[in-house]
Amino acid sequence: MKNILDFARKKSEREIITMVTCYDTWSARIISDTQVDAVLVGDSASMVMHGFDSTVHAEIDMMAYHVAAVKRGLSSRFLVADLPFLAHRKGKRILMNSIDKLMKAGAQAVKIEGADGMLDTIEYVVKSGVPVMGHLGLTPQSHHQLGGFKLQGTESESANRIQVFSKHLENAGVFSIVLEMVPSALAKRITESMSIPTIGIGAGPFTDGQVLVLQDLLGLSKDFEPKFLRKYLDGYSQIKDALERFNQDVKNRNFPSDKESY
Ligand code: KIV
């Protein structure tokens, strides 16, 4: 996928959308050689790449640095970047400077978490010519407010709230919405009620697309095993095994061999 028109086309043609997170050049090169549709430089970079315990620690310079690294390895794939914690709540100047940095680093759209109190701002960003992806359900930047990283929209009041905000976001001009950790039935209802695509994570099979954190789907996060995750590789064990074999080969004087020497 090259631009936001492809998102609209996929929705109208009922073609499913795939998106993965990416934070660096070498992964971006591998993704470029696949059919995966879109790439998200998520603020999960703060956890996955920098070891923080939440996305609250992502900063705009950190995000722009990862966007630029991804962009250098990515060919013709739609690139979305997360606006980090509070960047959209510190006034227009900080918001627009933050967006400026992400777009100049190579992003083609920004993802903004939440909608409450943000609709005018989101509309302003869209009208400034910047495509916005929404993000509802579990919004990890608000995990302190939500009482943890848990399933959202389990009661009818909170489910209705998420559905109403989806519609408000659509009206504000977002081109797509990530639905994170909501019951499948709610995601289905929202998806069917909207003309823009929904992209789910822990939101069941009825959304218009699916997104996963790259390191999670590669099985690199050893102890992270939420119900929604399918690991396509036991990356942790395979990388560990490769490192152990290198260590052994060197210590047993099996590496480098004659063929590997000048
Ligand atoms: O930051 C991130 O990785 C995300 C995805 C989980 C959608 O926002």
PDB file of all heavy atoms in Angstrom, residues 19-23 40-48 55 63 82 111 113 133-135 138 140-141 178-180 199-201 211-214 216 228, ligand 1:
ATOM      1  N   MET A  19      -0.653  -4.962   8.896  1.00  0.00           N
ATOM      2  CA  MET A  19       0.293  -3.928   9.339  1.00  0.00           C
ATOM      3  C   MET A  19       1.159  -4.542  10.429  1.00  0.00           C
ATOM      4  O   MET A  19       0.680  -5.352  11.235  1.00  0.00           O
ATOM      5  CB  MET A  19      -0.485  -2.710   9.870  1.00  0.00           C
ATOM      6  CG  MET A  19       0.395  -1.543  10.281  1.00  0.00           C
ATOM      7  SD  MET A  19      -0.532   0.029  10.388  1.00  0.00           S
ATOM      8  CE  MET A  19      -1.253  -0.104  12.020  1.00  0.00           C
ATOM      9  N   VAL A  20       2.437  -4.206  10.440  1.00  0.00           N
ATOM     10  CA  VAL A  20       3.313  -4.628  11.541  1.00  0.00           C
ATOM     11  C   VAL A  20       4.078  -3.413  12.040  1.00  0.00           C
ATOM     12  O   VAL A  20       4.272  -2.445  11.303  1.00  0.00           O
ATOM     13  CB  VAL A  20       4.336  -5.727  11.118  1.00  0.00           C
ATOM     14  CG1 VAL A  20       3.636  -7.038  10.809  1.00  0.00           C
ATOM     15  CG2 VAL A  20       5.195  -5.278   9.959  1.00  0.00           C
ATOM     16  N   THR A  21       4.518  -3.492  13.271  1.00  0.00           N
ATOM     17  CA  THR A  21       5.365  -2.421  13.787  1.00  0.00           C
ATOM     18  C   THR A  21       6.786  -2.652  13.281  1.00  0.00           C
ATOM     19  O   THR A  21       7.167  -3.769  12.933  1.00  0.00           O
ATOM     20  CB  THR A  21       5.398  -2.381  15.326  1.00  0.00           C
ATOM     21  OG1 THR A  21       6.007  -3.582  15.795  1.00  0.00           O
ATOM     22  CG2 THR A  21       4.022  -2.212  15.910  1.00  0.00           C
ATOM     23  N   CYS A  22       7.546  -1.596  13.265  1.00  0.00           N
ATOM     24  CA  CYS A  22       8.948  -1.691  12.845  1.00  0.00           C
ATOM     25  C   CYS A  22       9.673  -0.487  13.424  1.00  0.00           C
ATOM     26  O   CYS A  22       9.103   0.611  13.480  1.00  0.00           O
ATOM     27  CB  CYS A  22       9.010  -1.685  11.317  1.00  0.00           C
ATOM     28  SG  CYS A  22      10.671  -1.865  10.663  1.00  0.00           S
ATOM     29  N   TYR A  23      10.925  -0.706  13.845  1.00  0.00           N
ATOM     30  CA  TYR A  23      11.648   0.398  14.482  1.00  0.00           C
ATOM     31  C   TYR A  23      13.045   0.606  13.911  1.00  0.00           C
ATOM     32  O   TYR A  23      13.784   1.466  14.390  1.00  0.00           O
ATOM     33  CB  TYR A  23      11.798   0.135  15.990  1.00  0.00           C
ATOM     34  CG  TYR A  23      10.577  -0.451  16.655  1.00  0.00           C
ATOM     35  CD1 TYR A  23      10.573  -1.766  17.095  1.00  0.00           C
ATOM     36  CD2 TYR A  23       9.430   0.317  16.846  1.00  0.00           C
ATOM     37  CE1 TYR A  23       9.456  -2.312  17.710  1.00  0.00           C
ATOM     38  CE2 TYR A  23       8.311  -0.238  17.457  1.00  0.00           C
ATOM     39  CZ  TYR A  23       8.330  -1.550  17.885  1.00  0.00           C
ATOM     40  OH  TYR A  23       7.220  -2.095  18.491  1.00  0.00           O
ATOM     41  N   LEU A  40       4.008   0.395  11.004  1.00  0.00           N
ATOM     42  CA  LEU A  40       3.773   1.375  12.069  1.00  0.00           C
ATOM     43  C   LEU A  40       5.022   1.500  12.924  1.00  0.00           C
ATOM     44  O   LEU A  40       5.485   0.505  13.486  1.00  0.00           O
ATOM     45  CB  LEU A  40       2.602   0.910  12.952  1.00  0.00           C
ATOM     46  CG  LEU A  40       2.403   1.678  14.264  1.00  0.00           C
ATOM     47  CD1 LEU A  40       1.912   3.103  13.993  1.00  0.00           C
ATOM     48  CD2 LEU A  40       1.412   0.956  15.179  1.00  0.00           C
ATOM     49  N   VAL A  41       5.560   2.709  12.984  1.00  0.00           N
ATOM     50  CA  VAL A  41       6.600   2.952  13.987  1.00  0.00           C
ATOM     51  C   VAL A  41       5.842   3.319  15.251  1.00  0.00           C
ATOM     52  O   VAL A  41       5.434   4.468  15.453  1.00  0.00           O
ATOM     53  CB  VAL A  41       7.570   4.063  13.542  1.00  0.00           C
ATOM     54  CG1 VAL A  41       8.642   4.285  14.607  1.00  0.00           C
ATOM     55  CG2 VAL A  41       8.222   3.694  12.214  1.00  0.00           C
ATOM     56  N   GLY A  42       5.562   2.293  16.041  1.00  0.00           N
ATOM     57  CA  GLY A  42       4.741   2.476  17.232  1.00  0.00           C
ATOM     58  C   GLY A  42       5.566   3.042  18.376  1.00  0.00           C
ATOM     59  O   GLY A  42       6.797   2.872  18.418  1.00  0.00           O
ATOM     60  N   ASP A  43       4.845   3.673  19.311  1.00  0.00           N
ATOM     61  CA  ASP A  43       5.567   4.137  20.509  1.00  0.00           C
ATOM     62  C   ASP A  43       5.930   2.955  21.401  1.00  0.00           C
ATOM     63  O   ASP A  43       6.651   3.103  22.391  1.00  0.00           O
ATOM     64  CB  ASP A  43       4.754   5.195  21.271  1.00  0.00           C
ATOM     65  CG  ASP A  43       3.375   4.709  21.656  1.00  0.00           C
ATOM     66  OD1 ASP A  43       3.002   3.574  21.298  1.00  0.00           O
ATOM     67  OD2 ASP A  43       2.652   5.476  22.335  1.00  0.00           O
ATOM     68  N   SER A  44       5.467   1.746  21.004  1.00  0.00           N
ATOM     69  CA  SER A  44       5.931   0.522  21.661  1.00  0.00           C
ATOM     70  C   SER A  44       7.447   0.397  21.512  1.00  0.00           C
ATOM     71  O   SER A  44       8.069  -0.404  22.221  1.00  0.00           O
ATOM     72  CB  SER A  44       5.229  -0.702  21.070  1.00  0.00           C
ATOM     73  OG  SER A  44       5.274  -0.686  19.660  1.00  0.00           O
ATOM     74  N   ALA A  45       8.059   1.186  20.622  1.00  0.00           N
ATOM     75  CA  ALA A  45       9.527   1.242  20.521  1.00  0.00           C
ATOM     76  C   ALA A  45      10.155   1.507  21.884  1.00  0.00           C
ATOM     77  O   ALA A  45      11.223   0.968  22.201  1.00  0.00           O
ATOM     78  CB  ALA A  45       9.941   2.341  19.541  1.00  0.00           C
ATOM     79  N   SER A  46       9.472   2.314  22.691  1.00  0.00           N
ATOM     80  CA  SER A  46      10.045   2.652  24.003  1.00  0.00           C
ATOM     81  C   SER A  46      10.173   1.410  24.880  1.00  0.00           C
ATOM     82  O   SER A  46      11.095   1.305  25.683  1.00  0.00           O
ATOM     83  CB  SER A  46       9.198   3.721  24.706  1.00  0.00           C
ATOM     84  OG  SER A  46       7.911   3.200  24.979  1.00  0.00           O
ATOM     85  N   MET A  47       9.255   0.441  24.689  1.00  0.00           N
ATOM     86  CA  MET A  47       9.311  -0.798  25.470  1.00  0.00           C
ATOM     87  C   MET A  47      10.214  -1.825  24.782  1.00  0.00           C
ATOM     88  O   MET A  47      11.125  -2.370  25.377  1.00  0.00           O
ATOM     89  CB  MET A  47       7.892  -1.377  25.634  1.00  0.00           C
ATOM     90  CG  MET A  47       6.929  -0.415  26.311  1.00  0.00           C
ATOM     91  SD  MET A  47       5.216  -0.998  26.301  1.00  0.00           S
ATOM     92  CE  MET A  47       5.239  -2.187  27.628  1.00  0.00           C
ATOM     93  N   VAL A  48       9.935  -2.060  23.488  1.00  0.00           N
ATOM     94  CA  VAL A  48      10.610  -3.138  22.761  1.00  0.00           C
ATOM     95  C   VAL A  48      12.089  -2.827  22.546  1.00  0.00           C
ATOM     96  O   VAL A  48      12.954  -3.695  22.695  1.00  0.00           O
ATOM     97  CB  VAL A  48       9.911  -3.373  21.401  1.00  0.00           C
ATOM     98  CG1 VAL A  48      10.621  -4.449  20.597  1.00  0.00           C
ATOM     99  CG2 VAL A  48       8.447  -3.741  21.596  1.00  0.00           C
ATOM    100  N   THR A  55       4.641   2.835  27.255  1.00  0.00           N
ATOM    101  CA  THR A  55       4.878   3.751  26.134  1.00  0.00           C
ATOM    102  C   THR A  55       4.901   5.215  26.584  1.00  0.00           C
ATOM    103  O   THR A  55       5.162   6.106  25.774  1.00  0.00           O
ATOM    104  CB  THR A  55       3.784   3.577  25.060  1.00  0.00           C
ATOM    105  OG1 THR A  55       2.501   3.768  25.670  1.00  0.00           O
ATOM    106  CG2 THR A  55       3.835   2.193  24.449  1.00  0.00           C
ATOM    107  N   MET A  63      11.016   8.893  18.594  1.00  0.00           N
ATOM    108  CA  MET A  63      10.127   8.424  17.532  1.00  0.00           C
ATOM    109  C   MET A  63      10.666   8.822  16.149  1.00  0.00           C
ATOM    110  O   MET A  63      10.670   8.016  15.216  1.00  0.00           O
ATOM    111  CB  MET A  63       8.710   8.994  17.728  1.00  0.00           C
ATOM    112  CG  MET A  63       7.992   8.498  18.975  1.00  0.00           C
ATOM    113  SD  MET A  63       7.857   6.710  19.057  1.00  0.00           S
ATOM    114  CE  MET A  63       6.895   6.356  17.607  1.00  0.00           C
ATOM    115  N   ASP A  82       3.571   6.817  15.443  1.00  0.00           N
ATOM    116  CA  ASP A  82       2.802   7.203  16.627  1.00  0.00           C
ATOM    117  C   ASP A  82       3.211   8.574  17.135  1.00  0.00           C
ATOM    118  O   ASP A  82       4.405   8.871  17.256  1.00  0.00           O
ATOM    119  CB  ASP A  82       3.081   6.212  17.764  1.00  0.00           C
ATOM    120  CG  ASP A  82       1.983   5.172  17.904  1.00  0.00           C
ATOM    121  OD1 ASP A  82       0.841   5.453  17.505  1.00  0.00           O
ATOM    122  OD2 ASP A  82       2.282   4.084  18.411  1.00  0.00           O
ATOM    123  N   LYS A 111      -0.399   8.393  14.015  1.00  0.00           N
ATOM    124  CA  LYS A 111      -1.454   7.735  14.787  1.00  0.00           C
ATOM    125  C   LYS A 111      -1.577   8.485  16.111  1.00  0.00           C
ATOM    126  O   LYS A 111      -0.577   8.758  16.770  1.00  0.00           O
ATOM    127  CB  LYS A 111      -1.151   6.256  15.013  1.00  0.00           C
ATOM    128  CG  LYS A 111      -2.217   5.554  15.859  1.00  0.00           C
ATOM    129  CD  LYS A 111      -2.206   4.037  15.682  1.00  0.00           C
ATOM    130  CE  LYS A 111      -1.078   3.333  16.361  1.00  0.00           C
ATOM    131  NZ  LYS A 111      -0.992   3.511  17.835  1.00  0.00           N
ATOM    132  N   GLU A 113      -3.551   8.427  19.809  1.00  0.00           N
ATOM    133  CA  GLU A 113      -4.353   7.602  20.725  1.00  0.00           C
ATOM    134  C   GLU A 113      -5.474   8.409  21.351  1.00  0.00           C
ATOM    135  O   GLU A 113      -5.266   9.547  21.780  1.00  0.00           O
ATOM    136  CB  GLU A 113      -3.465   7.055  21.854  1.00  0.00           C
ATOM    137  CG  GLU A 113      -2.653   5.866  21.427  1.00  0.00           C
ATOM    138  CD  GLU A 113      -1.985   5.156  22.599  1.00  0.00           C
ATOM    139  OE1 GLU A 113      -2.395   5.348  23.761  1.00  0.00           O
ATOM    140  OE2 GLU A 113      -1.037   4.404  22.333  1.00  0.00           O
ATOM    141  N   MET A 133      -4.392   8.386  11.758  1.00  0.00           N
ATOM    142  CA  MET A 133      -4.967   7.084  12.121  1.00  0.00           C
ATOM    143  C   MET A 133      -5.410   7.210  13.576  1.00  0.00           C
ATOM    144  O   MET A 133      -4.642   7.685  14.420  1.00  0.00           O
ATOM    145  CB  MET A 133      -3.885   6.011  11.956  1.00  0.00           C
ATOM    146  CG  MET A 133      -4.318   4.600  12.288  1.00  0.00           C
ATOM    147  SD  MET A 133      -2.968   3.402  11.937  1.00  0.00           S
ATOM    148  CE  MET A 133      -3.346   2.961  10.242  1.00  0.00           C
ATOM    149  N   GLY A 134      -6.647   6.805  13.864  1.00  0.00           N
ATOM    150  CA  GLY A 134      -7.121   6.839  15.246  1.00  0.00           C
ATOM    151  C   GLY A 134      -6.705   5.575  15.993  1.00  0.00           C
ATOM    152  O   GLY A 134      -6.177   4.636  15.409  1.00  0.00           O
ATOM    153  N   HIS A 135      -6.935   5.579  17.294  1.00  0.00           N
ATOM    154  CA  HIS A 135      -6.586   4.398  18.112  1.00  0.00           C
ATOM    155  C   HIS A 135      -7.511   4.390  19.321  1.00  0.00           C
ATOM    156  O   HIS A 135      -7.432   5.285  20.171  1.00  0.00           O
ATOM    157  CB  HIS A 135      -5.118   4.494  18.527  1.00  0.00           C
ATOM    158  CG  HIS A 135      -4.598   3.279  19.255  1.00  0.00           C
ATOM    159  ND1 HIS A 135      -3.272   2.900  19.216  1.00  0.00           N
ATOM    160  CD2 HIS A 135      -5.210   2.363  20.059  1.00  0.00           C
ATOM    161  CE1 HIS A 135      -3.094   1.808  19.948  1.00  0.00           C
ATOM    162  NE2 HIS A 135      -4.257   1.481  20.487  1.00  0.00           N
ATOM    163  N   LEU A 138      -8.069  -0.271  24.135  1.00  0.00           N
ATOM    164  CA  LEU A 138      -6.924  -0.099  25.028  1.00  0.00           C
ATOM    165  C   LEU A 138      -5.968   0.896  24.383  1.00  0.00           C
ATOM    166  O   LEU A 138      -5.422   0.635  23.312  1.00  0.00           O
ATOM    167  CB  LEU A 138      -6.214  -1.440  25.271  1.00  0.00           C
ATOM    168  CG  LEU A 138      -4.874  -1.335  26.008  1.00  0.00           C
ATOM    169  CD1 LEU A 138      -5.041  -0.738  27.400  1.00  0.00           C
ATOM    170  CD2 LEU A 138      -4.201  -2.688  26.090  1.00  0.00           C
ATOM    171  N   PRO A 140      -2.633   2.362  25.227  1.00  0.00           N
ATOM    172  CA  PRO A 140      -1.603   2.103  26.237  1.00  0.00           C
ATOM    173  C   PRO A 140      -1.020   3.365  26.882  1.00  0.00           C
ATOM    174  O   PRO A 140      -0.561   3.311  28.027  1.00  0.00           O
ATOM    175  CB  PRO A 140      -0.528   1.334  25.470  1.00  0.00           C
ATOM    176  CG  PRO A 140      -1.269   0.686  24.352  1.00  0.00           C
ATOM    177  CD  PRO A 140      -2.347   1.654  23.965  1.00  0.00           C
ATOM    178  N   GLN A 141      -1.046   4.500  26.165  1.00  0.00           N
ATOM    179  CA  GLN A 141      -0.529   5.728  26.788  1.00  0.00           C
ATOM    180  C   GLN A 141      -1.347   6.114  28.015  1.00  0.00           C
ATOM    181  O   GLN A 141      -0.896   6.859  28.866  1.00  0.00           O
ATOM    182  CB  GLN A 141      -0.533   6.883  25.766  1.00  0.00           C
ATOM    183  CG  GLN A 141       0.493   6.706  24.655  1.00  0.00           C
ATOM    184  CD  GLN A 141       0.387   7.764  23.566  1.00  0.00           C
ATOM    185  OE1 GLN A 141      -0.373   8.721  23.671  1.00  0.00           O
ATOM    186  NE2 GLN A 141       1.153   7.585  22.501  1.00  0.00           N
ATOM    187  N   VAL A 178      -7.216   2.059  14.661  1.00  0.00           N
ATOM    188  CA  VAL A 178      -6.756   0.843  15.348  1.00  0.00           C
ATOM    189  C   VAL A 178      -7.698   0.588  16.516  1.00  0.00           C
ATOM    190  O   VAL A 178      -8.000   1.494  17.304  1.00  0.00           O
ATOM    191  CB  VAL A 178      -5.301   1.010  15.858  1.00  0.00           C
ATOM    192  CG1 VAL A 178      -4.941  -0.092  16.859  1.00  0.00           C
ATOM    193  CG2 VAL A 178      -4.322   0.988  14.688  1.00  0.00           C
ATOM    194  N   LEU A 179      -8.185  -0.639  16.613  1.00  0.00           N
ATOM    195  CA  LEU A 179      -9.001  -1.070  17.752  1.00  0.00           C
ATOM    196  C   LEU A 179      -8.179  -2.075  18.540  1.00  0.00           C
ATOM    197  O   LEU A 179      -7.854  -3.143  18.026  1.00  0.00           O
ATOM    198  CB  LEU A 179     -10.303  -1.725  17.278  1.00  0.00           C
ATOM    199  CG  LEU A 179     -11.310  -0.833  16.573  1.00  0.00           C
ATOM    200  CD1 LEU A 179     -12.489  -1.655  16.062  1.00  0.00           C
ATOM    201  CD2 LEU A 179     -11.811   0.272  17.513  1.00  0.00           C
ATOM    202  N   GLU A 180      -7.820  -1.705  19.756  1.00  0.00           N
ATOM    203  CA  GLU A 180      -6.933  -2.577  20.539  1.00  0.00           C
ATOM    204  C   GLU A 180      -7.675  -3.172  21.727  1.00  0.00           C
ATOM    205  O   GLU A 180      -8.309  -2.438  22.500  1.00  0.00           O
ATOM    206  CB  GLU A 180      -5.700  -1.780  21.012  1.00  0.00           C
ATOM    207  CG  GLU A 180      -4.747  -2.635  21.842  1.00  0.00           C
ATOM    208  CD  GLU A 180      -3.351  -2.046  22.012  1.00  0.00           C
ATOM    209  OE1 GLU A 180      -3.058  -0.966  21.443  1.00  0.00           O
ATOM    210  OE2 GLU A 180      -2.544  -2.677  22.725  1.00  0.00           O
ATOM    211  N   ILE A 199      -8.407  -1.524  12.085  1.00  0.00           N
ATOM    212  CA  ILE A 199      -7.278  -2.461  12.132  1.00  0.00           C
ATOM    213  C   ILE A 199      -7.176  -2.939  13.569  1.00  0.00           C
ATOM    214  O   ILE A 199      -7.028  -2.130  14.493  1.00  0.00           O
ATOM    215  CB  ILE A 199      -5.971  -1.775  11.668  1.00  0.00           C
ATOM    216  CG1 ILE A 199      -6.155  -1.254  10.233  1.00  0.00           C
ATOM    217  CG2 ILE A 199      -4.801  -2.745  11.754  1.00  0.00           C
ATOM    218  CD1 ILE A 199      -4.950  -0.613   9.620  1.00  0.00           C
ATOM    219  N   GLY A 200      -7.303  -4.236  13.761  1.00  0.00           N
ATOM    220  CA  GLY A 200      -7.418  -4.756  15.120  1.00  0.00           C
ATOM    221  C   GLY A 200      -6.128  -5.333  15.663  1.00  0.00           C
ATOM    222  O   GLY A 200      -5.269  -5.826  14.924  1.00  0.00           O
ATOM    223  N   ILE A 201      -6.013  -5.263  16.993  1.00  0.00           N
ATOM    224  CA  ILE A 201      -4.988  -6.025  17.723  1.00  0.00           C
ATOM    225  C   ILE A 201      -5.682  -6.499  19.000  1.00  0.00           C
ATOM    226  O   ILE A 201      -6.154  -5.677  19.790  1.00  0.00           O
ATOM    227  CB  ILE A 201      -3.693  -5.210  17.983  1.00  0.00           C
ATOM    228  CG1 ILE A 201      -2.725  -6.016  18.870  1.00  0.00           C
ATOM    229  CG2 ILE A 201      -3.945  -3.824  18.547  1.00  0.00           C
ATOM    230  CD1 ILE A 201      -1.297  -5.482  18.894  1.00  0.00           C
ATOM    231  N   VAL A 211      -3.001  -5.825  13.056  1.00  0.00           N
ATOM    232  CA  VAL A 211      -1.646  -5.325  13.309  1.00  0.00           C
ATOM    233  C   VAL A 211      -1.043  -6.107  14.464  1.00  0.00           C
ATOM    234  O   VAL A 211      -1.755  -6.466  15.407  1.00  0.00           O
ATOM    235  CB  VAL A 211      -1.644  -3.798  13.610  1.00  0.00           C
ATOM    236  CG1 VAL A 211      -2.555  -3.422  14.759  1.00  0.00           C
ATOM    237  CG2 VAL A 211      -0.219  -3.283  13.887  1.00  0.00           C
ATOM    238  N   LEU A 212       0.240  -6.407  14.371  1.00  0.00           N
ATOM    239  CA  LEU A 212       0.962  -7.002  15.506  1.00  0.00           C
ATOM    240  C   LEU A 212       2.311  -6.308  15.633  1.00  0.00           C
ATOM    241  O   LEU A 212       2.853  -5.768  14.654  1.00  0.00           O
ATOM    242  CB  LEU A 212       1.190  -8.502  15.301  1.00  0.00           C
ATOM    243  CG  LEU A 212       0.003  -9.447  15.557  1.00  0.00           C
ATOM    244  CD1 LEU A 212       0.403 -10.890  15.235  1.00  0.00           C
ATOM    245  CD2 LEU A 212      -0.523  -9.361  16.997  1.00  0.00           C
ATOM    246  N   VAL A 213       2.827  -6.360  16.837  1.00  0.00           N
ATOM    247  CA  VAL A 213       4.192  -5.891  17.070  1.00  0.00           C
ATOM    248  C   VAL A 213       5.134  -6.946  16.469  1.00  0.00           C
ATOM    249  O   VAL A 213       5.001  -8.137  16.753  1.00  0.00           O
ATOM    250  CB  VAL A 213       4.444  -5.701  18.586  1.00  0.00           C
ATOM    251  CG1 VAL A 213       5.931  -5.481  18.872  1.00  0.00           C
ATOM    252  CG2 VAL A 213       3.620  -4.536  19.121  1.00  0.00           C
ATOM    253  N   LEU A 214       6.046  -6.496  15.628  1.00  0.00           N
ATOM    254  CA  LEU A 214       6.930  -7.417  14.893  1.00  0.00           C
ATOM    255  C   LEU A 214       7.638  -8.401  15.829  1.00  0.00           C
ATOM    256  O   LEU A 214       7.638  -9.612  15.593  1.00  0.00           O
ATOM    257  CB  LEU A 214       7.965  -6.588  14.109  1.00  0.00           C
ATOM    258  CG  LEU A 214       8.956  -7.375  13.259  1.00  0.00           C
ATOM    259  CD1 LEU A 214       8.257  -8.066  12.099  1.00  0.00           C
ATOM    260  CD2 LEU A 214      10.049  -6.464  12.735  1.00  0.00           C
ATOM    261  N   ASP A 216       6.791  -9.425  18.669  1.00  0.00           N
ATOM    262  CA  ASP A 216       5.853 -10.386  19.268  1.00  0.00           C
ATOM    263  C   ASP A 216       5.551 -11.517  18.292  1.00  0.00           C
ATOM    264  O   ASP A 216       5.565 -12.688  18.661  1.00  0.00           O
ATOM    265  CB  ASP A 216       4.534  -9.695  19.669  1.00  0.00           C
ATOM    266  CG  ASP A 216       4.725  -8.679  20.776  1.00  0.00           C
ATOM    267  OD1 ASP A 216       5.802  -8.694  21.416  1.00  0.00           O
ATOM    268  OD2 ASP A 216       3.805  -7.867  21.011  1.00  0.00           O
ATOM    269  N   PHE A 228      -4.304 -13.073  22.424  1.00  0.00           N
ATOM    270  CA  PHE A 228      -4.491 -12.645  21.027  1.00  0.00           C
ATOM    271  C   PHE A 228      -3.287 -12.918  20.136  1.00  0.00           C
ATOM    272  O   PHE A 228      -3.379 -12.856  18.921  1.00  0.00           O
ATOM    273  CB  PHE A 228      -4.844 -11.147  20.960  1.00  0.00           C
ATOM    274  CG  PHE A 228      -3.713 -10.216  21.314  1.00  0.00           C
ATOM    275  CD1 PHE A 228      -2.717  -9.929  20.389  1.00  0.00           C
ATOM    276  CD2 PHE A 228      -3.647  -9.606  22.552  1.00  0.00           C
ATOM    277  CE1 PHE A 228      -1.673  -9.068  20.704  1.00  0.00           C
ATOM    278  CE2 PHE A 228      -2.614  -8.739  22.882  1.00  0.00           C
ATOM    279  CZ  PHE A 228      -1.625  -8.478  21.958  1.00  0.00           C
TER     280      PHE A 228
HETATM  281  O1  KIV B   1       2.732   1.220  19.521  1.00  0.00           O
HETATM  282  C1  KIV B   1       2.254   0.200  19.010  1.00  0.00           C
HETATM  283  O2  KIV B   1       2.937  -0.809  18.799  1.00  0.00           O
HETATM  284  C2  KIV B   1       0.844   0.210  18.667  1.00  0.00           C
HETATM  285  C3  KIV B   1       0.253  -1.056  18.144  1.00  0.00           C
HETATM  286  C4  KIV B   1       0.061  -2.022  19.242  1.00  0.00           C
HETATM  287  C5  KIV B   1      -1.008  -0.822  17.403  1.00  0.00           C
HETATM  288  O3  KIV B   1       0.200   1.197  18.812  1.00  0.00           O
END
